Amino acid sequence: DAMVIQNPRYQVTQFGKPVTLSCSQTLNHNVMYWYQQKSSQAPKLLFHYYDKDFNNEADTPDNFQSRRPNTSFCFLDIRSPGLGDAAMYLCATSSRTIEETQYFGPGTRLLVL
Amino acid sequence: AQSVTQLGSHVSVSEGALVLLRCNYSSSVPPYLFWYVQYPNQGLQLLLKYTTGATLVKGINGFEAEFKKSETSFHLTKPSAHMSDAAEYFCAVSEGSNFGNEKLTFGTGTRLTIIP
């Protein structure tokens, strides 16, 4: 009964080769978030969607893009991964109006060679 | 603006001893406060949260936290540590959607080690 699902759990890519991480949810939440978490650091918000409205954090590099084709799915695209983009990427969802809680997926660990 | 300070990046306690993880926050509006736990190579799991009402909140796995407005604190406690409690713990604050800012601001985390 997984609620926030992330695939794959581990992703290896090459320097400069585009990569897409996926997130899906069964909670029907209207808000979806993407975080980047580097080793021994707190999660850092990259962007979030409120329904179809995209909200980018001011310091999120242009190299990171996102798509949300429907309520259930959200994708993180890294157009040209660098070595510094190796991290855990966490997806989270919240209902905003019903409950002020974010629910996290298990994360995708990205390795850039 | 909101921020979170977690005192002690590493805490070690003996199995069966009291666990106390400290969290202080700053917020310009009444805050929503959260504790999340993260096991190695996993996502964040909600332990407990405070939004409104009773200031002592109970969570999963025997943890609880008390919101103290006068001290701007939300410390996490557990009376008796178990080996399975070894993990990274994050305190987080949100201003809530009522103020148009439901984004979480996380502390830097506390790694809890349990000594057998």
Side-chain angles (χ1 to χ4, degrees), chain B residues 24-116:
Chain B
N24 289 88
Y25 70 91
S26 69
S27 177
S28 56
V29 301
Y32 293 163
L33 295 160
F34 306 83
W35 276 100
Y36 285 88
V37 61
Q38 186 177 34
Y39 298 99
N41 287 314
Q42 294 189 25
L44 277 68
Q45 180 182 8
L46 180 70
L47 272 179
L48 48 79
K49 65 181 180 182
Y50 168 80
T51 53
T52 59
T55 57
L56 180 64
V57 292
K58 296 184 184 299
I60 62 172
N61 301 340
F63 284 94
E64 63 182 37
E66 186 171 11
F67 169 58
K68 292 187 176 180
K69 183 179 178 180
S70 61
E71 299 177 7
T72 61
S73 69
F74 191 58
H75 302 330
L76 182 71
T77 61
K78 180 175 180 177
S80 177
H82 191 271
M83 295 300 295
S84 60
D85 295 327
E88 187 91 19
Y89 292 79
F90 290 96
C91 181
V93 64
S94 164
E95 295 181 348
S97 59
N98 287 339
F99 295 96
N101 185 14
E102 72 283 8
K103 293 187 295 185
L104 287 175
T105 297
F106 286 92
T108 51
T110 297
R111 182 171 300 276
L112 177 64
T113 300
I114 309 299
I115 304 167

Side-chain angles (χ1 to χ4, degrees), chain A residues 20-40:
Chain A
T20 295
L21 310 182
S22 72
C23 176
S24 63
Q25 54 134 338
T26 60
L27 298 164
N28 203 34
H29 284 171
N30 51 8
V31 191
M32 295 187 77
Y33 307 81
W34 279 105
Y35 291 85
Q36 179 192 63
Q37 186 182 25
K38 295 189 176 181
S39 182
S40 301

Side-chain angles (χ1 to χ4, degrees), chain A residues 11-69:
Chain A
Q11 176 74 56
V12 180
T13 191
Q14 293 178 335
F15 182 93
K17 184 175 181 181
V19 65
T20 295
L21 310 182
S22 72
C23 176
S24 63
Q25 54 134 338
T26 60
L27 298 164
N28 203 34
H29 284 171
N30 51 8
V31 191
M32 295 187 77
Y33 307 81
W34 279 105
Y35 291 85
Q36 179 192 63
Q37 186 182 25
K38 295 189 176 181
S39 182
S40 301
Q41 295 184 21
K44 177 180 179 296
L45 182 64
L46 294 173
F47 26 60
H48 74 280
Y49 275 94
Y50 178 44
D51 289 328
K52 292 189 175 182
D53 292 335
F54 177 71
N55 299 272
N56 200 30
E57 293 300 296
D59 57 354
T60 298
D62 293 339
N63 198 26
F64 292 86
Q65 305 285 321
S66 185
R67 296 169 284 135
R68 189 180 186 186

